[in-house]
């Protein structure tokens, strides 16, 4: 099923600026699809209570000041490895535009996670990471439920399909109107 021609209830749902934190580091390393992870406690209740699944919308990044406290709180991945937080200081030009996103709200059954994560893949090529930057986003529609997979390739193929669905929907006038973030 493809998304409707314009956002339908409960969308649009918009956040404030949230911190980009680190996760397991699997998105880019294992899937070739990096995802900016967001702390769930910074999300509005309306987003936290959405069904687990894959959604799409728009997002905008902003560098943050270097003293943001999550770096002090959580500079390590769950496996203990250290992550370099540049707070988005290397973001330039088009990196700071409103960008299309696909996002996963889920427990990643393929990886047997047990905590819910909210992760955004921005459909844009960045020259640098942006851990510790801030991101504001707007969810405009639902794509599919979260699924378990027998292979990593099948998960990757579905995410590529999610990106194509999102790009098609976001090109429609009913969605473009909500681009102003
Ligand atoms: P983690 O598990 O720490 O989230 P990922 O492998 O998912 O690790 O990589 C996420 C990081 O990659 C983001 O926090 C961001 O700094 C960087 N990144 C680079 N390109 C993108 C992109 N197109 N979308 C999302 N994050 C990206
Ligand atoms: N993980 C799953 O286990 N099942 C899914 O159906 C699933 N769908 C995703 C869809 C999108 C658009 C994105 C960006 C991620 C999805 N993931 C899914 C999460 C993926 O497993 C996760 O990004 C990696 O584990 C890295 O954190
Ligand atoms: Mg991630």
């Amino acid at each position: 099923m493809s998304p409707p021609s314009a956002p339908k209830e409960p969308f649009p749902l918009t956040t404030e600026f949230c911190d980009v934190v680190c996760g397991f580091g699997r998105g880019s390393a294992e899937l070739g699809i990096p995802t900016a992870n967001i702390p769930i406690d910074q999300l509005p209740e309306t987003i936290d209570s959405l069904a687990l699944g894959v959604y799409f919308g728009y997002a905008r990044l902003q560098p943050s000041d270097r003293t943001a406290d999550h770096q002090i709180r959580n500079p390590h991945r769950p496996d203990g490895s250290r992550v370099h937080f540049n707070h988005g200081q290397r973001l330039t030009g088009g990196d700071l535009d409103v960008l299309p996103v696909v996002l996963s709200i889920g427990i990643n059954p393929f990886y047997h996670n047990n905590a819910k994560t909210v992760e955004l893949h921005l459909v844009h090529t960045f020259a640098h990471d942006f851990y510790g930057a801030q991101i504001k986003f707007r969810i405009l529609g639902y794509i599919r439920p979260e699924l378990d997979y027998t292979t990593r390739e099948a998960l990757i193929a579905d995410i590529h399909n999610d990106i194509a669905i999102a790009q098609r929907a976001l090109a429609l006038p009913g969605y473009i109107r909500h681009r102003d973030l």
Side-chain angles (χ1 to χ4, degrees), residues 138-160:
R138 176 170 295 154
I139 305 183
L140 294 175
Y142 171 80
I143 300 180
R144 63 174 174 90
E146 185 178 49
L147 302 173
D148 200 354
Y149 291 87
T150 49
T151 66
R152 186 163 64 186
E153 290 66 33
L155 170 59
I156 293 170
D158 266 11
I159 297 177
H160 285 296

Side-chain angles (χ1 to χ4, degrees), residues 27 35 54 102 104 108-111 119 144 147 149 155 159 162:
T35 58
V54 180
V102 282
S104 156
N108 302 352
F110 180 67
Y111 285 105
E119 311 174 28
R144 63 174 174 90
L147 302 173
Y149 291 87
L155 170 59
I159 297 177
D162 297 332

